[in-house]
């Protein structure tokens, strides 16, 4: 009998708490349900914890839970307002956008600062249908963790169909050096030797231990990012 009573309490809480949660979420606005910035992510976690505890444990008082949900919604709305009114406040509670690729080159120091690996960024570029980093003019890691990419002008103008030309390459490139280490398996798949790559590096005047990243495209063209190379980066703020 006691178990049946608890089950009815849980059903009653579900019936009341979810309409309240829906109303609070609509009140908070689009920003809370899109790609989540840091503070909004914390808000969503808090709401989930409060609601989960209330529904699963009939011994918890229901009214304070409802008050907590409304209070969290008001907090989020207040912070959103302050973010618009005070830029300095926004810098305190979220990340700044950070440039991780410029002119086809990785910005090693910014990758380290953001704690993203080469593979993380390459995956995000592939999700944007970009398989050769040399075609990227700028890639920006946004505060919500997404990657915004601007291709080089020659990669974004007219199409081959417009010019009635056949494509000369597949647009793919292959990572053959990562953080000063040759990717021997990749080289073997490309039927290339380590000695060949060493000669290429000599021709470019770059020692292997100074190479942060190097890729090779279908035209056998190397694209090399050197550790701590000075690349002009424009200021970028959200």
């Amino acid at each position: 009998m006691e178990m049946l009573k608890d089950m009815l309490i849980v059903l009653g809480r579900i019936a009341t708490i979810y309409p309240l949660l829906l109303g609070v979420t609509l009140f908070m606005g689009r920003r809370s349900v899109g790609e989540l910035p840091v503070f909004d992510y914390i808000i969503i976690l808090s709401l989930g914890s409060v609601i989960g505890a209330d529904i699963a444990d009939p011994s918890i008082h229901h009214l304070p839970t409802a008050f907590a949900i409304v209070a969290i919604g008001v907090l989020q709305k207040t912070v959103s307002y302050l973010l618009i009114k005070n830029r300095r406040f926004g810098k305190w509670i979220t990340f700044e956008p950070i440039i991780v690729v410029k002119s086809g080159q990785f910005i090693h120091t910014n990758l380290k600062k953001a704690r993203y690996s080469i593979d993380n960024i390459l995956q995000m570029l592939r999700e944007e249908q970009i398989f050769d980093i040399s075609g990227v003019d700028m890639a920006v890691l946004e505060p919500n963790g997404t990657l915004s990419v601007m291709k080089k002008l020659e990669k974004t103008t007219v199409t081959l169909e417009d010019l009635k030309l056949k494509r000369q390459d597949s647009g793919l490139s292959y990572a053959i050096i990562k953080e000063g280490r040759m990717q021997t398996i990749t080289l073997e798949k490309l039927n290339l030797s380590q000695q060949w790559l060493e000669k290429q590096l000599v021709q470019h005047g770059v020692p292997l231990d100074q190479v942060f990243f190097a890729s090779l495209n279908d035209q056998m063209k190397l694209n090399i990012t050197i550790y701590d190379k000075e690349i002009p980066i424009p200021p970028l703020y959200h």
Side-chain angles (χ1 to χ4, degrees), residues 15-212:
T16 56
I17 212 72
Y18 276 93
L20 176 62
L21 178 61
L22 176 60
V24 170
T25 304
L26 293 175
F27 168 74
M28 290 191 300
R30 294 176 186 270
R31 190 169 171 273
S32 64
V33 294
E35 296 287 350
L36 297 178
V38 176
F39 186 77
D40 290 342
Y41 173 73
I42 294 172
I43 288 290
I44 296 301
L45 284 180
S46 301
L47 284 172
S49 299
V50 169
I51 294 166
D54 179 77
I55 291 175
D57 189 353
S59 66
I60 294 176
H61 294 293
H62 194 46
L63 189 58
T65 299
F67 175 78
I69 291 172
V70 173
I72 290 172
V74 171
L75 173 63
Q76 193 275 344
K77 196 73 171 181
T78 302
V79 169
S80 298
Y81 175 79
L82 292 174
L83 283 172
I84 296 172
K85 292 296 183 180
N86 191 326
R87 170 168 161 69
R88 182 176 295 179
F89 175 75
K91 292 180 69 175
W92 290 341
I93 67 168
T94 190
F95 299 113
E96 290 283 0
I98 185 169
I99 299 173
V100 292
V101 179
K102 184 71 177 74
S103 302
Q105 305 282 299
F106 278 112
I107 309 300
H108 166 248
T109 52
N110 284 357
L111 278 179
K112 185 177 180 180
K113 188 186 302 181
R115 296 182 181 178
Y116 272 64
S117 69
I118 292 172
D119 292 327
N120 292 148
I121 301 302
L122 290 177
Q123 177 185 340
M124 296 170 83
L125 288 173
R126 290 195 296 270
E127 290 172 354
E128 296 293 328
Q129 305 301 311
I130 297 172
F131 294 84
D132 186 353
I133 191 176
S134 65
V136 177
D137 185 30
M138 184 185 295
V140 180
L141 191 62
E142 301 292 357
N144 58 15
T146 60
L147 191 70
S148 299
V149 183
M150 182 173 69
K151 297 179 182 179
K152 290 182 178 178
L153 185 61
E154 61 269 23
K155 300 290 184 179
T156 59
T157 50
V158 295
T159 65
L160 293 174
E161 185 179 3
D162 293 333
L163 299 176
K164 298 182 179 178
L165 296 175
K166 293 184 178 179
R167 191 181 185 98
Q168 299 300 314
D169 64 84
S170 64
L172 292 172
S173 68
Y174 308 91
I176 55 176
I177 299 176
K178 293 180 182 178
E179 299 179 346
R181 296 181 179 179
M182 291 187 186
Q183 304 300 297
T184 55
I185 295 178
T186 302
L187 287 172
E188 289 174 4
K189 294 293 183 181
L190 295 173
N191 294 318
L192 299 173
S193 65
Q194 296 184 39
Q195 291 74 22
W196 175 88
L197 181 53
E198 289 170 354
K199 289 180 181 178
Q200 295 299 312
L201 293 176
V202 170
Q203 292 178 12
H204 283 80
V206 182
L208 176 62
D209 60 3
Q210 291 186 16
V211 179
F212 177 64

